[in-house]
């Protein structure tokens, strides 16, 4: 593996994993998607020099990979992973609430609050109109707010 | 703060070291394709120009947000009339107008997404009732139909299940769970009763069911030139159709601006399908492919005719007047790319604000040939199709005046592949999903949830405590939704002497309604204002009756009589704990709900729930039986109807379930039957694989995962065969 991809994996694997998790709701599929995304990146031969570009590319690839439902051909069935998803059992209320959202909403919440993308940027990255992105964010927030009772969003 | 907690808690999640190492080891073996493109094909100068221009787009769009409750107007004139374009020149001119207006209107980017807007005058302190206002029942999501997860199940009221005639010795088998009988929907797994087709990434595995001893007969390696993603497929008379996106210029330029980066990543996407002749499943033969501009949204297959809907954005700054392909959606048949004819492009008579197109094309599946194409300036979120019409719906805001949400709906008649645009209308509120739309006897019906903003002006006296407040509070029990009603003005005058502060407050409540439109999408009748502070969770139209579930704490199942389209009437309401995310007709006078059981407060989720409603008297619906899967926290069945099998003929209900206690690495597949009460037939813990779909052929049930097909006997429920690949 070229040094570029090794570095890209080290730097962005978790970003991809978290997004995949937000969409797939289980770590099993999310891990598959991480692998699939990086396999695709390497296969494409693309090496964006700009970090933002690389990140956006990976996010878009993650969304596309998790859209197609079934996961990677490269996945091995032998991995034993019994650890809990969370290391810190005490404070996972927000996380759980986000994971309970339907994929489209958890995706937009993750990209907006965690990755810091604006609505306009989200519309680009999700390939929808800014109106649709707004609606989605609006509903996701409303649902979260209700779920978390009174949390300031 | 939510944001901080969220970040912190999400930071806690990471790939564990072993998994990381395993993936890295796999990546070591991956080679860059030979056809590696030498870095940027596009000179960076151009990239830069795009960047600059897009920055402007951003500032305009976000400019709206700095105003009031942060809901931007998208179109102000609801009475939009669409007209056939006369020439490319007309369309170009209109798009130019958009571009110019965006250039003119430069505003600072301040992105505030706050529901609550409090305008203070004087030194209003914090005495204003703090409203957690908005919160409430607004949410919903399934509606922005994930294009890929856009589903299917059978038949409105009819017993839709495809029961294949056993006449010629063929066994009965299950098909994709679709909304309307005769209108197939794409999915990742398809079967023709003999072979199971499994789409995963860039391969299709063809597995012979072989009466419970499945075996792999062939594999289609889908094309991988340029960046491609495959989403779902159809199987029709030995023709396999695989739908995907192709990004021809994916990430191929150097850009410095973040937004331009997004643009490069996304804008170039086309929707493509590839057709294979499967007459001999052992050796699939490529028929051809076709692509249309835009991101894949949804599709349907009706009698061998394939309908594909995509959303295409125009890159306003790359338009060239004498090259229509730069601003008109294009169609590519494998050899050449042509811009759609101007008369196929419908544009609003009064100009439009979004430089995007909804592209609808029909194809003859058998030979992968285009039949007709129509494009509309606009876009679509939710797609419904009967055998005669496609309805597209897009969420809109009217932010300037009333902060109201509405949904723009358009109709296209199909006529065996000949698509004709028939008109656009609107309904208040937003839709949940494709099941919120229905066609019956020439009328189109919509169930929506609406967020209603209330502007509240009031005054608060400083230092006088609560007695001085002019607002009376009405907080709904225990919920974060609160609505405030303004007290009489007298209260204010009483306190004139003390320092009085004025405030304007916006609160949001939700309500639900059902709207009936005619063939031209003009309003005919409605029943609205239902279930305040709740939102729609699931909808099912069954001929003259519509059923829908709203939820806050308990789950009212409404029955609405639609026999007089001008005067829909609520005729029944059943309240039970929990909610149903999907409703499926299940035999005579029965409606199956798949959803979630909650405790009485509506907050704690106990597990997945199956409900069987007796609807033999729509005015008096009862819950016949329910079955709660304790500790089952999630299921794809809550998000996509395609993920379940609901087969009344064979009396089978199956889906994957994710149990909280899962030490299992994969998911669990559960299968039920209903005979007066629910009975669990199988609970298969899938340690080594993640089940995705279940189907039956004859007396064998197959659980299909990304890497395997497992066969179970429907008499003993024991595993009788499996194939891994």
């Amino acid at each position: 593996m070229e040094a570029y991809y090794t570095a890209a994996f080290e730097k962005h694997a978790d970003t991809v994993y978290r997004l995949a998790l937000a969409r797939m709701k289980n770590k099993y599929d999310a891990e598959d998607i991480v692998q699939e995304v990086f396999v695709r990146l390497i296969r494409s031969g693309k090496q964006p020099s700009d970090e933002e570009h690389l990140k956006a590319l990976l996010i878009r690839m993650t969304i596309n990979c998790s859209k197609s439902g079934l996961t990677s051909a490269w996945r091995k069935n032998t991995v034993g992973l019994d650890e809990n998803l969370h290391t810190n059992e005490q404070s996972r209320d927000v996380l759980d609430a986000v994971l309970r959202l339907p994929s489209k909403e958890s995706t937009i919440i993750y990209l907006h609050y965690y990755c810091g993308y604006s609505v306009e940027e989200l519309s680009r990255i999700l390939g929808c109109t800014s109106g649709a992105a707004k609606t989605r964010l609006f509903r996701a927030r409303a649902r979260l707010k209700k779920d978390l009772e009174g949390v300031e969003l | 703060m939510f944001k901080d907690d969220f970040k912190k808690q999400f930071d806690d999640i990471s790939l564990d070291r072993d998994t990381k190492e395993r993936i890295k080891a796999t990546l070591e073996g991956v080679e860059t394709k030979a056809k590696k493109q030498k870095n940027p094909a596009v000179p960076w100068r151009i990239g830069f120009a795009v960047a600059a221009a897009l920055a402007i787009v951003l500032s305009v769009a976000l400019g709206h947000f700095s105003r009031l409750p942060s809901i931007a107007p998208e179109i102000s004139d609801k009475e939009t009339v669409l007209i056939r374009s006369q020439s490319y020149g007309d369309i170009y001119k209109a798009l130019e107008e958009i571009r110019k207006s965006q250039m003119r209107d430069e505003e600072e980017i301040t992105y505030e997404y706050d529901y609550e807007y409090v305008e203070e005058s004087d030194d209003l302190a914090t005495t204003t009732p703090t409203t957690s206002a908005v919160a409430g029942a607004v949410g919903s999501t399934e509606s922005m139909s994930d294009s890929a997860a856009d589903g299917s199940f059978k038949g409105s009221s009819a017993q839709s299940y495809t029961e294949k005639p056993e006449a010629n010795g063929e066994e009965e088998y299950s098909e994709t769970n679709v909304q309307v009988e005769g209108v197939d929907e794409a999915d990742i797994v398809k079967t023709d009763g003999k072979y199971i087709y499994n789409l995963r990434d860039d391969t299709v595995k063809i597995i012979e069911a072989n009466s419970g001893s499945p075996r792999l007969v062939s594999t289609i390696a889908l094309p991988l030139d340029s960046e491609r993603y495959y989403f779902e497929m159809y199987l029709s008379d030995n023709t396999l159709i695989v739908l995907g996106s192709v990004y021809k210029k994916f990430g191929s330029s150097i850009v410095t601006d973040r937004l331009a980066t997004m643009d490069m990543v996304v804008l170039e996407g086309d929707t493509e399908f590839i057709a294979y002749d499967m007459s001999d499943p052992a050796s699939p033969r490529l028929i051809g492919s076709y692509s249309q501009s835009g991101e894949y949204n949804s599709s349907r297959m009706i009698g061998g005719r394939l309908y594909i809907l995509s959303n295409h954005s125009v890159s306003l700054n790359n338009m060239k007047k004498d090259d229509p392909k730069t601003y008109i959606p294009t169609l590519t048949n494998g050899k050449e790319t042509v811009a759609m004819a101007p008369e196929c492009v419908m544009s609003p008579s009064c100009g439009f604000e979004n430089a995007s197109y909804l592209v609808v094309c029909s194809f003859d599946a058998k030979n992968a040939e285009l039949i007709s194409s129509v494009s509309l300036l606009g876009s679509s979120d939710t797609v419904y199709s009967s055998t005669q019409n496609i309805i597209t719906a897009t969420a809109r805001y009217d932010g300037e005046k009333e902060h109201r949400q509405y949904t723009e709906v358009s109709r296209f008649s199909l006529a065996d592949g000949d698509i004709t645009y028939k008109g656009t209308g609107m309904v208040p509120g937003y839709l949940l999903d494709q099941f919120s739309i229905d066609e019956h006897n020439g009328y189109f019906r919509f169930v929506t949830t609406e967020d209603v903003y209330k502007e509240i002006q009031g005054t608060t006296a400083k230092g006088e405590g609560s007695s001085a407040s002019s607002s009376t509070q009405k907080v709904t029990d225990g919920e974060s939704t609160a609505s405030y009603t303004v007290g009489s003005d007298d209260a204010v005058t009483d306190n004139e002497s003390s320092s009085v502060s004025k405030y304007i407050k916006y609160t949001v409540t939700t309500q639900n309604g059902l709207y009936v439109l005619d063939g031209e999408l003009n309003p005919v009748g409605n029943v609205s204002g239902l279930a305040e502070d709740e939102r729609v969770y699931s909808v099912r139209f069954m001929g003259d009756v519509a059923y829908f579930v709203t939820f806050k704490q308990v789950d009212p199942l409404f029955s609405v009589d639609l026999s007089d389209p001008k005067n829909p009437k609520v005729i029944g309401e059943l309240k039970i704990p929990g909610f149903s995310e999907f409703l499926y007709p299940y035999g005579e006078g029965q409606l199956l709900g798949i959803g979630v059981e909650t405790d009485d407060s509506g907050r704690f989720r106990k597990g997945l729930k199956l409900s069987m409603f007796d609807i033999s008297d729509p005015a008096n619906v009862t819950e016949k039986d329910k079955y709660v899967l304790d500790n089952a926290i999630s299921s794809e069945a809550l998000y996509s109807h395609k993920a379940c099998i609901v087969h009344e003929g064979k009396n089978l209900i199956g889906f994957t379930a994710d149990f909280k206690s899962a030490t299992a690495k994969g998911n669990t597949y559960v299968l039920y039957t209903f005979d007066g009460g629910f009975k669990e037939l199988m609970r298969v813990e899938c340690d080594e694989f993640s089940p995705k779909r279940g189907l039956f052929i004859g007396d064998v049930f197959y659980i299909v995962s990304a890497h395997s097909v497992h066969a179970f006997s429907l008499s003993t429920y024991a595993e009788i065969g499996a194939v891994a690949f």
Side-chain angles (χ1 to χ4, degrees):
Chain A
M1 184 162 42
E2 283 179 56
Y4 177 90
Y5 297 115
T6 311
F9 181 77
E10 292 295 346
K11 183 147 192 206
H12 297 291
D14 282 332
T15 302
V16 171
Y17 177 61
R18 291 174 193 129
L19 175 60
L21 191 67
R23 292 175 66 76
M24 302 305 290
K25 321 289 183 197
N26 74 73
K27 64 188 248 173
Y28 186 83
D29 285 337
E31 287 168 5
D32 252 12
I33 282 168
V34 174
Q35 183 165 309
E36 175 65 13
V37 165
F38 283 96
V39 163
R40 280 177 172 272
L41 179 70
I42 296 172
R43 229 168 32 188
S44 74
K46 274 157 200 152
Q47 301 191 356
S49 52
D50 173 56
E51 277 298 321
E52 281 299 336
H53 188 180
L54 174 61
K55 195 172 157 194
L57 193 70
L58 288 171
I59 286 173
R60 184 65 212 178
M61 289 168 102
T62 308
I63 288 169
N64 279 342
C65 285
S66 46
K67 219 191 230 174
S68 54
L70 283 176
T71 53
S72 169
W74 280 269
R75 139 151 262 293
K76 303 214 171 37
N77 291 330
T78 51
V79 209
L81 297 163
D82 294 332
E83 303 90 334
N84 263 319
L85 193 60
H86 317 282
T87 49
N88 183 353
E89 285 291 329
Q90 298 306 307
S91 56
R92 45 182 280 180
D93 53 329
V94 175
L95 178 69
D96 283 348
V98 171
L99 289 181
R100 269 201 299 274
L101 294 172
S103 294
K104 282 209 159 189
E105 291 181 10
S106 51
T107 300
I108 207 159
I109 288 284
Y110 173 74
L111 294 175
H112 182 61
Y113 285 103
Y114 192 87
C115 300
Y117 289 116
S118 71
V119 162
E120 192 65 20
E121 288 172 327
L122 290 171
S123 75
R124 305 290 160 119
I125 211 160
L126 297 172
C128 61
T129 62
S130 54
K134 255 178 284 170
T135 310
R136 219 176 284 173
L137 193 56
F138 182 89
R139 292 186 211 169
R141 287 169 46 109
R143 200 191 279 216
L144 271 180
K145 204 161 182 173
K146 185 181 176 188
D147 208 21
L148 293 167
E149 194 151 0
V151 163
E152 286 303 311
L153 282 163
Chain B
M1 279 302 286
F2 170 78
K3 193 176 171 180
D4 300 335
D5 288 347
F6 181 53
K7 265 206 119 124
K8 207 163 68 204
Q9 290 178 29
F10 245 71
D11 273 337
D12 264 0
I13 297 183
S14 54
L15 283 167
D16 56 72
R17 194 164 297 153
D18 289 351
T19 310
K20 251 186 172 157
E21 289 309 315
R22 171 179 58 86
I23 294 176
K24 266 167 86 174
T26 311
L27 295 179
E28 287 298 342
V30 179
E31 306 243 322
T32 294
K33 272 179 301 178
K35 267 205 213 146
K36 175 173 173 178
Q37 214 176 344
K38 281 279 173 191
N39 266 349
V42 183
W44 72 271
R45 226 164 12 91
I46 295 181
F48 188 73
V50 173
L54 282 166
I56 292 162
V57 177
L58 171 66
S59 53
V60 176
L62 295 187
H64 294 309
F65 293 11
S66 54
R67 281 178 225 140
L68 268 215
S70 66
I71 305 236
E74 287 212 352
I75 57 175
S76 43
D77 181 8
K78 290 179 210 163
E79 303 295 314
T80 310
V81 180
L82 294 174
I83 49 170
R84 257 174 218 286
S85 307
Q86 299 301 310
S87 68
Y88 289 140
D90 291 352
I91 304 167
Y92 182 82
K93 225 184 282 170
L95 289 167
E96 258 301 289
E97 282 306 309
I98 301 183
R99 196 181 67 83
K100 281 186 195 144
S101 74
Q102 291 182 349
M103 301 277 283
R104 274 197 299 272
D105 197 9
E106 230 172 310
E107 278 182 58
E108 200 53 37
I109 304 168
T110 47
Y111 173 55
E112 284 297 327
Y113 213 89
D114 245 30
Y115 294 152
E116 186 186 338
Y117 178 79
V118 179
E119 199 171 85
E120 300 178 12
S121 63
D122 294 6
D123 50 351
L124 167 67
T126 45
T127 23
T128 353
T130 345
T131 157
S132 31
V134 168
V138 183
S140 119
T141 120
E142 292 85 331
S143 68
M144 310 290 309
S145 76
D146 224 344
S147 47
D150 195 19
S152 49
F153 67 21
K154 292 237 155 166
S156 324
S157 54
Q159 279 90 355
S160 22
Y161 287 96
T162 338
E163 271 150 58
K164 286 280 149 156
E166 295 190 50
N168 40 6
E170 280 180 16
E171 287 180 300
E172 188 189 4
Y173 62 92
S174 56
E175 293 188 335
T176 305
N177 192 11
V178 300
Q179 180 177 12
V180 176
E181 188 173 8
V183 181
D184 198 12
E185 298 177 41
D187 197 11
I188 51 177
V189 172
K190 288 279 177 185
T191 183
D192 57 7
K194 266 197 98 173
Y195 295 90
I196 297 167
Y197 292 73
N198 183 348
L199 169 67
R200 178 198 62 208
D201 300 330
D202 42 30
T203 57
V204 179
K205 300 279 182 189
I206 296 106
I207 299 119
E208 190 186 356
N210 202 18
S211 306
S213 310
R215 63 180 193 98
L216 184 67
V217 294
S218 61
T219 299
I220 299 175
L222 298 163
L224 274 175
D225 57 313
S226 55
E227 189 69 16
R228 285 166 189 273
Y229 296 87
Y230 298 99
F231 299 134
E232 42 191 10
M233 52 188 182
Y234 287 100
L235 192 55
S236 159
D237 290 336
N238 289 334
T239 305
L240 176 75
I241 301 282
V242 182
L243 286 159
S245 285
V246 48
Y247 297 84
K248 289 184 183 122
K249 293 179 189 164
F250 197 59
S252 60
S253 66
I254 295 175
V255 281
T256 48
D257 176 83
R258 204 159 109 153
L259 193 57
T261 300
M262 310 291 145
D263 231 27
M264 293 315 297
V265 171
V266 174
L267 265 187
E268 307 294 334
D270 284 350
T271 298
E272 183 179 67
F273 75 89
I274 306 176
Y276 293 90
D277 176 7
M278 302 302 297
S279 310
D280 178 5
S283 57
R285 188 180 62 82
L286 176 69
I287 298 172
S289 67
Y290 219 107
S291 67
Q292 66 191 58
S293 295
E295 280 287 303
Y296 176 56
N297 179 12
S298 192
S299 62
R300 294 292 189 278
M301 176 87 87
I302 306 167
R305 302 285 190 247
L306 172 66
Y307 299 88
I308 301 181
L309 294 95
S310 61
N311 292 319
H312 172 61
S313 304
V314 181
S315 182
L316 288 175
N317 295 284
N318 290 334
M319 294 192 300
K320 293 186 197 74
K321 196 172 181 183
D322 28 1
D323 183 4
K325 287 179 207 166
T326 60
Y327 57 92
I328 302 283
T330 60
L331 302 165
T332 306
N333 68 357
K335 286 175 255 104
E336 51 169 356
T337 299
V338 295
M340 287 174 71
E343 62 270 20
C344 293
V345 181
M346 313 298 301
S347 49
S349 54
C350 58
F352 40 90
E353 294 192 16
N354 265 348
S356 68
Y357 293 94
L358 160 64
V359 185
V360 190
C361 296
S362 61
F363 302 91
D364 183 351
K366 268 222 136 8
N367 50 22
E369 273 172 17
L370 180 75
I371 300 172
S372 69
S373 64
V374 173
S375 181
L376 197 71
L377 277 145
S379 64
S380 68
D381 302 324
T382 309
V383 176
Y384 163 86
S385 179
S386 67
T387 53
Q388 303 300 321
N389 292 285
I390 284 179
I391 300 285
T392 65
T394 314
R396 297 286 195 194
Y397 288 114
D398 183 4
E400 288 293 3
K401 286 159 261 163
E402 300 164 53
H403 317 299
R404 289 209 117 177
Q405 298 164 313
Y406 62 99
T407 298
E408 197 175 273
V409 295
S410 299
R411 174 164 86 95
F412 300 87
S413 70
L414 302 181
D416 197 29
D418 187 11
I419 306 171
T420 314
Y421 168 74
K422 291 291 189 183
T424 296
M426 59 85 79
V427 291
Y430 49 84
L431 303 171
L432 173 67
D433 58 24
Q434 67 188 69
F435 295 100
S436 307
I437 309 176
D438 184 65
E439 174 184 353
H440 185 64
N441 289 345
Y443 290 100
F444 296 88
R445 297 95 64 92
F446 303 83
V447 168
T448 70
T449 297
E450 187 181 2
D451 304 320
V452 183
Y453 287 80
K454 283 181 190 142
E455 183 182 297
I456 295 167
Q457 298 189 20
T459 51
T460 312
K462 212 179 164 187
E464 285 285 314
S466 55
S467 63
S469 173
S470 64
S471 308
T472 51
Q473 228 173 319
K474 186 191 85 190
V475 184
T476 51
D477 41 359
E479 284 297 315
S480 51
T481 303
S483 59
Y484 296 90
T485 49
V486 186
S488 74
D489 285 341
D490 302 346
V492 181
T493 47
D494 287 348
N495 290 287
E496 242 168 17
S497 51
S498 58
S499 104
V500 174
S501 309
K502 288 184 191 158
Y503 63 86
I504 302 171
K505 184 178 280 292
Y506 290 88
T507 62
V508 184
T509 54
T510 60
Q511 59 183 36
N512 305 280
L514 189 153
Y515 300 85
V516 182
L517 308 186
D518 65 15
E520 276 75 51
L521 302 180
N522 299 311
V524 173
N526 73 74
V527 45
S528 60
L530 303 175
E532 194 173 330
D533 276 353
E534 304 191 357
R535 70 170 184 90
V536 173
Y537 267 68
S538 48
V539 187
R540 192 76 210 205
F541 287 92
M542 296 173 73
D544 278 339
V545 183
Y547 297 92
F548 64 95
V549 169
T550 63
F551 179 70
K552 189 174 67 179
Q553 288 178 328
V554 287
D555 158 7
L557 172 70
F558 286 95
S559 333
V560 180
D561 179 356
L562 287 162
S563 51
D564 175 7
K566 294 190 182 69
N567 191 21
K569 273 198 285 283
V570 175
I571 50 172
E573 191 179 335
L574 168 70
K575 288 196 179 235
I576 48 172
F579 51 87
S580 299
E581 292 275 10
F582 285 96
L583 296 171
Y584 304 102
Y586 202 82
E588 195 60 37
Q590 294 189 138
L591 190 65
L592 170 72
I594 297 181
V596 173
E597 176 78 344
T598 63
D599 64 3
D600 291 342
S601 75
R603 303 196 51 80
F604 177 71
R605 294 178 172 219
K606 292 176 174 169
L608 300 176
K609 179 178 74 165
L610 295 170
S611 295
M612 190 62 79
F613 300 105
D614 180 346
I615 54 168
S616 45
D617 176 7
N620 183 24
V621 175
T622 55
E623 191 181 38
K624 245 186 198 174
D625 188 36
K626 73 172 174 183
Y627 186 97
V628 178
L629 287 80
D630 286 321
N631 293 319
I633 50 171
S634 187
S635 169
E636 202 189 335
L638 299 180
Y639 308 110
S640 166
H641 56 286
K642 293 179 193 173
C644 6
I645 166 173
V646 178
H647 199 289
E648 179 237 324
K650 195 82 176 173
N651 200 357
L652 290 176
I653 300 155
F655 48 90
T656 63
D658 201 357
F659 285 87
K660 205 196 263 167
S661 57
T663 46
K665 285 156 270 163
N667 285 333
T668 303
Y669 196 91
V670 288
L671 189 66
Y672 295 89
T673 191
F674 185 84
D675 183 15
F678 289 102
K679 192 180 147 212
E680 188 168 287
L681 299 176
M682 290 203 307
R683 184 177 289 207
V684 184
E685 285 182 17
C686 311
D687 282 346
E688 294 295 317
F689 61 97
S690 183
K692 292 293 174 191
R693 296 288 186 270
L695 60 96
F696 76 86
I697 300 174
D699 284 321
V700 182
F701 196 82
Y702 298 87
I703 296 177
V704 183
S705 83
H707 312 280
S708 61
V709 174
H710 294 256
F712 297 82
S713 156
L714 278 175
S715 44
T716 64
Y717 306 109
E719 182 164 347
I720 53 174
V723 60
F725 38 82

